[in-house]
Amino acid sequence: LVLCATVMILVAGSAIAADASRVRMMVPIQASDTASYNAGQSEPDSVSASGYSLQYVHSSGVGISYTSSTLKKEFSSSEEEWPDATFVDLSYTFGGEMTGQIAIGMLTGHGTVTSGTTSYPLAEKSGSAFGITGGYDFGGFEVLLGYRSETVEVELEADPGKTYDASRTLINAGLGFTFQEFLRAV
């Protein structure tokens, strides 16, 4: 019974998996600050993000990616850059011409928080990410649009014991390249 269930899951998985290997690059086009603020803290007037995501998706649908994003918060009297959040993501992509992708990520790196001209090194950083992406394949080239939620908590070296919330959501857009025929020839 277990063997039959395993075979059925594998057959169903290969039937809905992506039919070509893909290389994808995405960049954030819109950002939201989802950090929780205490009563005495002021929320930013505007938020923007920079960064990128590089992905490889195997024809089985399983993929891995490296994602980096930095959140810039603008207040009426100052500007802050919250740390680079670098993630390694695992994903599953399904579909052929139109694709869907689900990804989860783990935070791997840390940098500094910049407020005005002053930088504050981080003592510790932890986080995770979740994302969904849709794509359309135009015969070898893909157009991609995705949503990503990153939960990030940091502790500054100058303020040990106090945790700051640097969570964010991103809308990403990008391009991909599919190479099904190349792999068949090899």
Side-chain angles (χ1 to χ4, degrees):
L1 183 61
V2 172
L3 182 61
C4 287
T6 304
V7 168
M8 288 177 59
I9 289 171
L10 291 174
V11 169
S14 67
I16 63 171
D19 61 353
S21 293
R22 304 160 190 279
V23 174
R24 295 172 161 182
M25 179 167 179
M26 298 183 73
V27 295
I29 57 172
Q30 185 177 351
S32 297
D33 179 19
T34 58
S36 55
Y37 291 95
N38 296 330
Q41 294 177 312
S42 60
E43 294 187 30
D45 297 327
S46 67
V47 176
S48 61
S50 60
Y52 61 92
S53 178
L54 297 173
Q55 306 175 6
Y56 170 74
V57 180
H58 187 264
S59 62
S60 67
V62 176
I64 188 166
S65 64
Y66 177 83
T67 302
S68 176
S69 66
T70 301
L71 196 64
K72 183 188 249 183
K73 300 179 185 184
E74 293 183 20
F75 299 88
S76 57
S77 61
S78 67
E79 186 177 284
E80 296 178 354
E81 258 191 42
W82 283 82
D84 290 338
T86 55
F87 292 86
V88 172
D89 301 337
L90 295 177
S91 64
Y92 184 75
T93 302
F94 50 91
E97 187 175 344
M98 292 185 72
T99 61
Q101 181 183 59
I102 299 172
I104 57 171
M106 176 173 277
L107 191 67
T108 59
H110 64 278
T112 60
V113 173
T114 305
S115 181
T117 58
T118 307
S119 292
Y120 301 96
L122 299 179
E124 209 174 295
K125 185 160 70 166
S126 63
S128 61
F130 171 78
I132 55 173
T133 301
Y136 188 80
D137 188 353
F138 290 98
F141 293 97
E142 292 182 291
V143 175
L144 307 164
L145 184 63
Y147 168 84
R148 183 175 177 86
S149 175
E150 298 176 350
T151 303
V152 180
E153 292 186 350
V154 298
E155 185 178 303
L156 304 177
E157 284 182 3
D159 197 3
K162 186 172 182 182
T163 303
Y164 294 90
D165 188 356
S167 299
R168 59 198 82 177
T169 59
L170 306 168
I171 302 296
N172 296 315
L175 297 173
F177 174 69
T178 61
F179 46 99
Q180 176 181 8
E181 287 75 26
F182 176 75
L183 290 178
R184 285 187 185 164
V186 175

